[in-house]
């Protein structure tokens, strides 16, 4: 009986300490909808009431279903026929409101979006001619940023971001320098000749060993492929005129670097009626999902092309329409997963 009395008393204490017990269900759901997806999963363990509210079909659309909040992308000025700015498309409602204009960044002449990795955004920011641009790493969720030094050839280089908050709060910027950026006489030579690795911990470019891994052998020479990161692995998403395929790098030490994970034909995806061009723009950072854009003509705007965004679940082979991206959005489409807790060294 003694143990039963203690258990009962503990339960009463727990109920008294639960300040949300008297909150109406819709108010509690609204509160939970404002936290990240990973925290939402933890909320299911608080009590049976919280679990049932989160699992209820009427509430699923209100709650974040993934840590993927949306996509950053470049925008294109149709009148001047040039890239002019950037935009953001939310995929998870309003649970993660951010300043899509990135107005918290320094006031540069132009901001080019280059990469996004686990909550941090890498940009190349142009100064008034002829000064060398800066690399800027920012956190849209906390509106903190740091400047990374660049070189005179950085305007024509490829740069990517490496970051894992589970390992360290520091990041790396990888700068891939093509021959054309180093030698004006090699204008159309885009083969990578140098690789620079900036460490935020060291505050400088660091030494490192680099090894080139060839892309998967593709049968369609006219096809296109892009590299993405999902669940800690490298993926190559390839799409040609007839089909799309997904390859995963499972063992970089093996001679067979890439394993074909899935392929699907354009006909299977959209049927014979669809005539628009399509492209794979991203791989979901957590799930077996790829994102596809399709160009189509809008009946409301005459012959103007509109861009539609779809998701394709590899396991279920289910294609879902997500939203219209309009006419001005362009690559790269950078998947954004908010990061609220980490700070940047020497941040502003």
């Amino acid at each position: 009986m003694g143990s039963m009395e203690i258990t009962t008393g503990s339960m009463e204490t727990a109920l008294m300490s639960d300040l949300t017990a008297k909150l109406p269900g819709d108010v509690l759901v609204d509160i939970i909808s404002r936290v990240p997806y990973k925290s939402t999963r933890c909320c299911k363990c608080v009590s049976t009431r919280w679990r049932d509210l989160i699992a209820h079909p009427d509430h699923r659309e209100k709650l974040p279903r993934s840590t993927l909040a949306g996509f950053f992308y470049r925008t294109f000025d149709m009148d001047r026929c040039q890239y002019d700015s950037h935009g953001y498309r939310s995929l998870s409602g309003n649970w993660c409101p951010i300043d899509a204009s990135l107005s918290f960044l320094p006031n540069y002449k132009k901001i080019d979006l280059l990469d996004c990795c686990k909550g941090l955004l890498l940009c190349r920011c142009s100064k008034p001619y002829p000064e060398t641009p800066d690399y800027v790493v920012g956190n849209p969720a906390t509106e903190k940023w740091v400047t990374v030094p660049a070189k005179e050839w950085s305007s024509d280089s490829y740069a990517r971001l490496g970051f894992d908050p589970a390992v360290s709060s520091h990041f790396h910027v990888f700068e891939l320098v093509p021959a054309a950026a180093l030698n004006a006489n090699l204008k159309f030579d885009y083969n990578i000749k140098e690789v620079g690795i900036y460490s935020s911990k060291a505050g400088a470019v660091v030494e490192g060993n680099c090894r080139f891994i060839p892309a998967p052998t593709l049968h369609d020479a006219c096809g296109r492929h892009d590299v993405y990161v999902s669940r800690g692995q490298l993926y190559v998403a390839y799409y040609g005129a007839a089909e799309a395929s997904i390859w995963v790098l499972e063992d970089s030490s093996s001679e067979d670097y890439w394993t074909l994970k899935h392929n699907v034909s354009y006909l299977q995806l959209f049927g014979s009626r669809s005539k628009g061009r399509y492209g794979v723009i991203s791989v979901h950072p957590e799930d077996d999902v790829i994102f596809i854009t399709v160009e189509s003509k809008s009946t409301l705007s005459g012959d103007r092309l509109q861009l539609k965004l779809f998701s394709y679940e590899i396991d279920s082979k289910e294609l879902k329409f997500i939203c219209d991206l309009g006419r001005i959005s362009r690559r790269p489409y950078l998947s954004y997963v908010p990061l609220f807790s980490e700070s940047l060294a020497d941040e502003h």
Side-chain angles (χ1 to χ4, degrees):
M1 289 296 293
S3 61
M4 178 63 71
E5 291 174 358
I6 293 174
T7 303
T8 303
S10 299
M11 292 177 62
E12 291 176 350
T13 301
L15 289 173
M16 291 176 63
S17 62
D18 182 6
L19 301 179
T20 68
K22 296 183 178 180
L23 286 177
D26 57 343
V27 174
L28 183 55
V29 168
D30 183 66
I31 294 173
I32 298 175
S33 70
R34 300 174 187 273
V35 303
Y37 170 69
K38 289 181 180 179
S39 298
T40 303
R41 289 186 293 180
C42 294
C43 288
K44 296 175 67 175
C45 302
V46 172
S47 67
T48 55
R49 182 191 182 218
W50 284 44
R51 181 198 64 196
D52 293 343
L53 283 172
I54 294 172
H56 197 285
D58 292 345
H59 301 152
R60 290 175 184 171
E61 293 299 323
K62 303 176 184 178
L63 299 172
R65 288 167 287 178
S66 170
T67 57
L68 178 63
F71 288 99
F72 283 98
Y73 54 83
R74 298 175 73 184
T75 56
F76 189 78
D77 188 321
M78 303 296 291
D79 296 327
R80 295 187 294 172
C81 294
Q82 66 181 29
Y83 296 102
D84 64 339
S85 188
H86 50 265
Y88 176 76
R89 171 69 68 170
S90 173
L91 300 184
S92 302
N94 296 320
W95 72 269
C96 178
I98 62 169
D99 178 8
S101 68
L102 304 180
S103 61
F104 63 92
L105 293 181
N107 187 22
Y108 286 96
K109 180 180 178 181
K110 184 180 179 182
I111 297 176
D112 289 326
L113 305 182
L114 301 179
D115 198 12
C116 194
C117 184
K118 297 194 175 181
L120 299 186
L121 191 64
L122 174 64
C123 308
R124 182 165 48 219
C125 301
S126 302
K127 302 175 183 178
Y129 181 83
E131 292 189 38
T132 301
D134 289 330
Y135 289 122
V136 175
V137 176
N139 185 338
T142 62
E143 299 192 352
K144 303 296 184 180
W145 57 272
V146 295
T147 301
V148 176
K151 302 292 185 180
E152 61 269 17
W153 54 74
S154 294
S155 296
D156 300 311
S157 299
Y158 308 100
R160 294 296 182 265
L161 184 64
F163 175 63
D164 188 349
V167 177
S168 171
S169 61
H170 292 279
F171 61 85
H172 293 82
V173 175
F174 301 87
E175 186 175 49
L176 312 177
V177 187
L182 299 172
N183 189 337
N185 296 323
L186 302 175
K187 186 176 181 180
F188 299 105
D189 188 347
Y190 299 107
N191 292 308
I192 303 301
K193 295 300 182 182
E194 291 188 12
V195 178
I197 305 173
Y198 173 87
S199 165
S200 67
K201 183 176 183 179
V205 176
V206 297
E207 296 281 335
N209 296 321
C210 298
R211 181 164 60 96
F212 290 93
I213 297 176
T217 302
L218 306 173
H219 63 274
D220 188 350
C222 297
R224 175 172 179 171
H225 61 273
D226 291 297
V227 179
Y228 304 100
V229 177
S230 177
R231 293 179 292 183
Q233 290 183 301
L234 284 180
Y235 285 74
V236 165
Y238 159 79
Y239 56 97
E243 67 177 15
S245 59
I246 305 297
W247 302 72
V248 59
L249 182 66
E250 293 185 335
D251 185 2
S252 61
S253 63
S254 171
E255 292 185 0
D256 298 325
Y257 298 108
W258 301 94
T259 301
L260 178 63
K261 184 176 181 65
H262 187 72
N263 66 333
V264 59
S265 71
Y266 184 73
L267 185 64
Q268 289 174 304
L269 287 172
F270 302 105
S272 58
R273 295 182 180 180
S274 180
K275 303 297 182 181
R277 293 188 301 174
Y278 80 106
V280 178
I281 65 160
S282 187
V283 174
H284 198 289
E286 300 156 339
D287 300 321
D288 282 338
V289 174
I290 61 176
F291 294 95
I292 301 170
T293 56
V294 178
E295 288 185 352
S296 62
K297 290 185 178 181
S298 171
T299 56
L300 298 178
S301 57
D303 292 333
R304 292 183 178 180
L305 291 176
Q306 301 291 316
L307 209 58
K308 297 180 180 296
L309 178 64
F310 293 83
S311 65
Y312 175 73
E313 297 184 10
I314 293 177
D315 291 336
S316 65
K317 299 180 175 59
E318 184 178 4
L319 183 74
K320 295 180 180 178
F321 170 75
I322 298 178
C323 64
D324 288 307
L325 291 175
R327 301 174 58 232
I328 64 172
S329 66
R330 296 291 187 276
R331 291 174 177 271
Y333 293 90
L334 305 176
S335 57
Y336 173 62
V337 175
L339 178 69
F340 298 96
S341 59
E342 296 296 328
S343 298
L344 297 171
D346 301 321
E347 68 184 13
H348 298 274

